[in-house]
Amino acid sequence: MNDVVVLNKKESIALIQIQNPPVNALSHAVRQGLMEAVRESLEDPAIKVLAITGSGKFFSAGADIQEFGKPSLEPQLPQICNAIESCSKPVFALINGTALGGGFELALSAHFRVATASAKIGLPEIHLGLLPGSGGTQRLPRIIGADKALKMMLNGQPVSAGEGLAYGVIDRVEESGELITASMNFMLETTAGKHPRIPTRERTEGLQDEAANHVAIGEHRNTWQKKGKGLYSPFQIIDCVEKALSTPFEEGLKYERESFARCLESPQRKGLIHAFFAERRCRKIPELREIEPRKLERLAVIGGGTMGGGIAVAALDAGLEVMMVERDEAGLEKGRLNVEKVYDRHISKGRMGPEDKKEVLERFIPSTDFERITDADMVIEAVFEEMEVKKEVFRILDQYARQGAVLASNTSYLDIDEIASVTSRPEEVLGLHFFSPANIMKLLEIVVPSGLSNEVLATGFALGNRMGKVPVRSANSEGFIGNRILGAYSKVAGYMMEDGTSPYRIDEAVRDFGYPIGPFQMFDLAGGDIGWANRKRKATTRDPRERYVEIADRLCERGWFGQKTGRGFYLYEEGSRIGIEDPEVLDIIAGERSTKGIRAREYSPEEIIRRYIGAMVNEAAKVLEEKVARCPSDIDVVQHYGYGFPRYRGGPMKYADMYGIRKIVEDIEEFSVEDPFFWKPSELLKTMAAQGQTFEDLNL
Ligand code: T1G
Ligand code: NAD
């Protein structure tokens, strides 16, 4: 054996334990160890039963994701699963903790599955652009039928041991005690012939109701045709399960193998696995390795508007005590309602009862009195986006917050150094940039001004983790990572519109690329007035060489601010959040175009994306060059979690790597003929293209 798989013999039972922390991934060494342990147990006449189990909190989290894309080494997992299934001695999977993907498929190949009550089982491969490729698509439906099998494979979320028992895929759940000891009798009973050893491939319970299985295949396929536009692996999964119902096992297994190989080679798999590692990398900040975050139990939120309300809910949901301070009673009442309406909605949807709401709100303390913040561990300011207002608030915070409290601003654009400068403790002030709605959106940009204490930074990350956010470090620079890049591709969307392409066609192309909504739908959702105020503020300092599109201003002058006014780039019928195309908007655009003497030109969807993503990648490269983001994959995380960039494309930096850095530079140079001020390739991109580098090479 080797050191990652340990074989112990207990009475007539071979206990095969995977010990490969942190998650018992089925690396090459584990696969070798398993194969050897099975062989040795089979050869030993004293052994009557084999039991495979894990260690720590994991049975096994499945294939070692690090190995994908590298040459695959024997024995491969499907071989091990087949060897287990065809064992002449009964094999038990003792599921001591989480069993995912290949880990669960390993268990499916055993003849019996016993799980502890806290164990979880699942097939999350879909999230990696893959399918269960070690017989899972063939074995699971044979036990539980197509519908439940597809539910597990297509939503990718694990289910509890109890649910597994109800499905019929877990034979027994042990409520307490040590799993091996608790399963001893069950295992020994098989030697007395009490429980028949049936290889999973020969099981047929799930295949009995052919009509129901047929309906399930059709329904899941229909659902995914609607919601899975552009995705690859869900449809491969459905095809594989369909095969399981209609062909002999070996044939189905071969079909699964071929489908798996196609998924493995797909750009979507590369994008999704990149995203998996990217969102883990962004939490690893070298300077925080040895730093303990400060205590965090009481949070104060200043301002109860859109963001303050959302942040308060996120904090309450994370179990914190939350104070909310508003400037007057009317503001406070609005703030309180902003919080309560979230829970009222949960109640109306049956997600919580009135008692639960009451219990949560016991930790919520609204006030107009800043003195109430004196015992807060952290204060997050979310007042109006105006430097003078923020400074005034921070002067007050400095006066009332206790020594050692962390002070944070949720500003979208403003300079945190300047905000911090009005306090006597600038090293304790950082930016915590939440996204709207703050209780839902997972991105949290953690903005680091100069001289920030590492302990304070660590506490920012701890808050993000506690709230279930994806925290990304950003330097203190206007618009931080996300809004700065947003500025660039929003401009390009405006240019293309003024050049002659309808905003509706631009939105459509961006949606077809994989975004949930296009840029003009997003402007309508966010509210045009905010951007308009910002543009007016900057009008005097705008570089005269910058192309400025006035169309949005024309809409705002009419009071068309988007969804909230029923009209923006789209028309919204009473109460509807779905916009329809507005011919008057098209007339306004045509008017602006003719004023400027622009000859209309219709860009193709490919051209729209080339420009949109080209602007995004170029600005992102500047963000890297200026060290605003730590590494390219942090930008991918920001774009995915904050702005809707399709995860299966990995993020703009991964996309650029796959598209080709040189081609991106060539595109930018081609566009720069029309507008050399905007389309200036970043120095970093030019160097990378010259040296044949990729963004992946720059990841930490
Ligand atoms: N392979 C390699 N490393 C893995 C891994 C895996 N499967 N799962 C996690 N890690 C690393 C992770 O990168 C991190 O490393 C550390 O473990 C802790 O993870 C053939 C095709 C298991 C629920 O999709 O969902 O089997 O950052 O920080 O919050 O048919 O990780 O410390 O260096 O996330 O406790 C299917 C993916 C594979 C499971 C644990 N399996 N993992 O969450 O800790 S495909 C998955 C997770 C497959 C077969 C198919 C989660 C977790 P580092 P963590 P966590
Ligand atoms: P909002 O207008 O909805 O809320 C601001 C609240 O602050 C109001 O309720 C107001 O009464 C209160 N307030 C103003 N001055 C105050 C004071 N001195 N003391 C206490 N309360 C005071 O604004 P918002 O959209 O919630 O934005 C708040 C901050 O969050 C801004 O800095 C904004 O840039 C940032 N932000 C907004 C979004 C977004 O999408 N709305 C996203 C990220 C960040």
Side-chain angles (χ1 to χ4, degrees), residues 217-236:
I217 296 280
E219 282 178 356
H220 284 284
R221 197 172 268 138
N222 264 343
T223 307
W224 279 85
Q225 267 154 2
K226 282 185 214 126
K227 78 171 187 187
K229 205 172 68 176
L231 290 176
Y232 186 66
S233 75
F235 299 98
Q236 299 290 310

Side-chain angles (χ1 to χ4, degrees), residues 22-23 25 58 61-66 68 77 100-103 105 124-125 128 130-134 260 276-277 280 284:
V23 297
F58 289 90
D64 186 338
I65 302 173
Q66 304 265 18
F68 291 139
L77 197 54
L100 298 178
E105 290 177 289
E125 287 87 345
L128 303 176
L130 290 169
L131 51 83
S134 302
F260 182 77
F276 177 86
F277 286 116
R280 282 163 178 77
K284 289 186 189 137

Side-chain angles (χ1 to χ4, degrees), residues 484-485 487-493 609-622 664 668 671 678-679:
R484 158 126 174 232
I485 298 172
Y489 60 84
S490 298
K491 275 183 196 158
V492 144
I609 294 303
R610 243 173 13 111
R611 286 170 184 261
Y612 198 69
I613 305 291
M616 191 182 299
V617 171
N618 196 33
E619 194 65 25
K622 291 177 188 170
I664 293 265
I668 295 170
F671 307 144
F678 180 80
W679 290 107

Side-chain angles (χ1 to χ4, degrees), residues 389-421:
V389 180
K390 303 257 190 218
K391 279 184 172 170
E392 188 46 39
V393 167
F394 271 80
R395 278 189 201 100
I396 301 172
L397 297 187
D398 193 32
Q399 189 184 336
Y400 289 111
R402 68 166 171 78
Q403 281 309 310
V406 171
L407 307 183
S409 171
N410 179 48
T411 174
S412 310
Y413 290 94
L414 301 175
D415 181 352
I416 312 275
D417 273 309
E418 192 177 337
I419 295 174
S421 71

Side-chain angles (χ1 to χ4, degrees), residues 302-303 305-307 325-327 370 382-385 389-390 393 410-412 433-434 436:
I302 314 300
T306 310
M307 294 309 288
V325 182
E326 259 287 349
R327 50 188 174 154
F370 272 89
V383 302
F384 302 134
E385 184 75 348
V389 180
K390 303 257 190 218
V393 167
N410 179 48
T411 174
S412 310
H433 186 212
F434 289 83
S436 178

